[in-house]
Amino acid sequence: MAQLWGGRFTGKTDEMVYQFNASIGFDQRLLPQDIRGSKAHARMLAKQGIIQEEEAARLIEGLDRILADVEAGTLPITTEYEDVHSFVEANLIDRIGEVGKKLHTGRSRNDQVALDMKLYVRDEVDAIILELQQMREQLHAMMKEHLDTYMPGFTHLQKAQPVTLAHHLGAYFEMFSRDRENLCFARSMMNTCPLGAGALAGTTYPLDRAATAEELGFDGPTRNSMDSVSDRDYLILTLSSLSMIMMHLSRFSEEVILWNSNEYQFVEIDDAYSTGSSIMPQKKNPDVAELVRGKTGRVYGALMSLLTTMKGIPLAYDKDMQEDKEVTFDALDTVKICLTLFRGMLSTMKFRKDRMRQSAKNGFTNATDVADYLVGKGVPFRDAHGITGRLVLACIEKGIALDDLSLEEYQAFCPLIEEDIYEAISMENCVARRTTYGAPGPEMMKKIIEINEGELARTRGEA
Ligand code: ARG
């Protein structure tokens, strides 16, 4: 046990308590952030005359060497330390001696860990924003390719009206664009620097908090020292955005699983993204999509876990907050891998246009268009709806599609129907005539794709 706080104690910590309390097992991933924050702190202490310039230089050099050695694998992070902060400080003192003990001047582990977490999560959020950008680029490319790939649109999982694959994918483009905005907002909410807030009430040293905030890439220092060490709102905001990403990925997964099933056969998932069965030789399972759908639970769980952890905590720092780490790390890791693999699956998936088109034709998806045709002939919509319903029933009895009724049969239901009905209810026309803003008609879709193009260019440059 290498502890930073032995002075006040006469007895030894119970071994199980020590283990229970320790966070080194999971907070060691904050090492680069911890070192970065400590270097900024040391530099600022010297600039403010709190320590000597030469002392700061030795601290910084020692900190750099610790990171280099850990990365080179020559310095293992062991459970003999309570947390990553203790590990760094103890090693620093071992290496550079007495001066190492000056690093923690005007600082507490409370503002230190708040800083480390913000630095870590900020980088991860940036990486996920990039992943989302790539997902949107992928969808965009697919949309351009599938402007005339017809498929049924569903409501209640019942065939409703024909759409195109471009339009269907466009829905996910919108979702991932919103996800991106959500994460950008969460990022802006975390971009204030808690360093210098001390344990909870600032310090008596003349710290320059603006300088460390600037060096570490923050918009400025946090404005209330108690809030600084106890704010985990930005994590909850991040986890909520991550939950929403998973919800979208999960819905998409569910569709891919259905589309890949023997009943649908709309798509074929590439071998690289499928797995087999140990007993049934014919199987090719959509495991990636299923796992993405399944892992949604643990990301929601992270959000619920942290919301619950935070709800009864009095100001300022309490050890409960150490529980923010594992769930957040897990959620970030999960979302990253899910986005990457889902995109890989999507980009290698084959769409069976013939099957999709056939399916759109079979389910009376052009029934609304028959009704609209009758409206065009002067029939009030409610009556047109009734006539079309009876036509559909007749088709069901005969086992045919609306397109297959003869003109005589049509006219028996409504004498206003003429030869032009066939053209009006063809799949191409059903889709092409849907030209309202945001509708699937290819002309409208081209406009939306152009708008998306602009949006992608705008967001490409940003993190
Ligand atoms: N491991 C702790 C955490 O993650 C670091 C802060 C400890 N602060 C303290 N006062 N014990 O929250």
Side-chain angles (χ1 to χ4, degrees), residues 408-447:
E408 294 70 50
E409 286 170 314
Y410 266 123
Q411 287 172 342
F413 284 85
C414 177
L416 293 171
I417 298 179
E418 293 169 82
E419 192 60 41
D420 59 353
I421 179 80
Y422 299 105
E423 166 103 8
I425 65 167
S426 75
M427 182 115 56
E428 286 75 6
N429 271 324
C430 288
V431 175
R433 285 174 43 232
R434 294 188 143 69
T435 52
T436 41
Y437 193 81
E443 286 318 306
M444 177 44 68
M445 276 307 300
K446 279 184 202 150
K447 282 195 193 135

Side-chain angles (χ1 to χ4, degrees), residues 23 27 82-83 85 109-110 113 317 319 321-322 325:
S23 53
D27 68 15
E82 179 184 337
D83 54 26
H85 325 294
R109 275 187 297 164
N110 297 350
V113 76
Y317 177 87
K319 199 58 175 272
M321 292 176 185
Q322 180 167 286
K325 288 178 196 61

Side-chain angles (χ1 to χ4, degrees), residues 376-400:
K377 298 283 176 186
V379 182
F381 181 76
R382 194 46 60 210
D383 294 338
H385 187 288
I387 295 167
T388 311
R390 288 191 289 281
L391 281 165
V392 167
L393 198 59
C395 286
I396 291 172
E397 274 158 17
K398 285 172 166 274
I400 58 172

Side-chain angles (χ1 to χ4, degrees), residues 7 16 32 59 89 129 142 198 213-214 273 317 379 402 463:
M16 251 162 91
L59 288 170
E89 194 171 316
I129 289 173
M142 293 168 82
E214 197 189 324
Y273 290 88
Y317 177 87
V379 182
L402 282 164

Side-chain angles (χ1 to χ4, degrees), residues 264-282:
Y264 279 73
Q265 295 177 37
F266 282 8
V267 300
E268 198 184 323
I269 298 175
D270 194 80
D271 281 0
Y273 290 88
S274 323
T275 57
S277 157
S278 60
I279 175 171
M280 298 165 283
Q282 83 282 13

